[in-house]
Amino acid sequence: MTTGTGPALRAVGLTRTYGAGESLVRAVDHVDLEVPAGQTLAVTGPSGCGKSTLLQLLGGLDRPTGGEVWLGGDRIDHLGERALARLRRRSVGFVFQAYHLMHELSAAQNIELPALLAGASPRTARDRAAGLLDRVGLADRARHLPSELSGGQRQRVAIARALVNDPLVVLADEPTGNLDTAATHDILRLFGELRAAGQTLVMVTHDERVAATADRILSLRDGTVADDTRPAAGAGLGAMLAWKD
């Protein structure tokens, strides 16, 4: 896939409806959005405002009712299922609140799996997993099953898994929602390292302190963009440090 010269992610008139007639629900309603490469975007808003639906549309996990989705300069909303699956494996890393790790696989094997599915050799997949486990501070937990890890450790494994194919963009849906304060701080610090390395990140969150660590905050209400702001200089660092209190 070519990356082009445009933004890492772009949505034009993006719309997702459910039902019909009087029962029609506009989960996402004509959203226009651009996310430059290397930017961290937080998507906020009340429950049911369309945050998770927007993330799924941007990552090709759901199909829009109308509008367009562009990833790295290529339009993806019209792709067939096979082409879309290949693109997701290669160019999009997903991080979920509930981790979505395979319980019968070790931490290393969970990270290796997407690489193998994308066509990497077993040796390459093992090497990538080992490097990422070291990067997220879990080199000594490589053989542990998810049930033997804490919530924060599982989320770090999930983040490493999202990075294994060196994706163009990482999409995270409430990545700290199930974590305590200490684990949340660890995840935010890791996201800060990813941002410093130039990784494009879009995260859905209901927590204002988590959102304040991003370069930009997009607020949704009733499926539409209610606000698009940038935290004041230094706000992100202050928000991260606040988790230590």
Side-chain angles (χ1 to χ4, degrees), residues 21-50:
E22 294 184 358
S23 62
L24 182 71
V25 175
R26 295 186 178 275
V28 173
D29 192 2
H30 292 88
V31 168
D32 294 327
L33 171 67
E34 287 193 0
V35 184
Q39 184 178 86
T40 297
L41 172 69
V43 181
T44 68
S47 297
C49 70

Side-chain angles (χ1 to χ4, degrees), residues 39-162:
Q39 184 178 86
T40 297
L41 172 69
V43 181
T44 68
S47 297
C49 70
K51 300 188 300 295
S52 294
T53 300
L54 176 62
L55 204 70
Q56 291 165 5
L57 292 170
L58 293 175
L61 288 179
D62 192 10
R63 297 278 189 175
T65 307
E68 303 171 1
V69 180
W70 295 73
L71 178 64
D74 295 316
R75 186 176 173 182
I76 70 170
D77 57 275
H78 66 301
L79 295 178
E81 290 300 328
R82 285 189 178 181
L84 191 56
R86 287 195 298 269
L87 180 141
R88 284 196 303 262
R89 285 195 294 265
R90 185 174 65 247
S91 301
V92 183
F94 292 96
V95 181
F96 301 97
Q97 179 178 354
Y99 321 127
H100 288 191
L101 300 176
M102 298 190 70
H103 300 299
E104 69 274 18
L105 300 182
S106 68
Q109 290 169 331
N110 266 284
I111 299 169
E112 292 168 18
L113 184 58
L116 294 172
L117 291 174
S121 69
R123 180 173 182 176
T124 297
R126 285 195 300 270
D127 288 346
R128 289 181 189 174
L132 285 165
L133 280 167
D134 183 62
R135 184 177 180 182
V136 301
L138 292 176
D140 60 341
R141 297 289 189 270
R143 297 184 180 180
H144 286 60
L145 296 173
S147 61
E148 299 171 315
L149 302 174
S150 69
Q153 289 170 338
R154 291 179 210 171
Q155 193 60 294
R156 280 186 276 165
V157 171
I159 292 169
R161 179 185 59 186

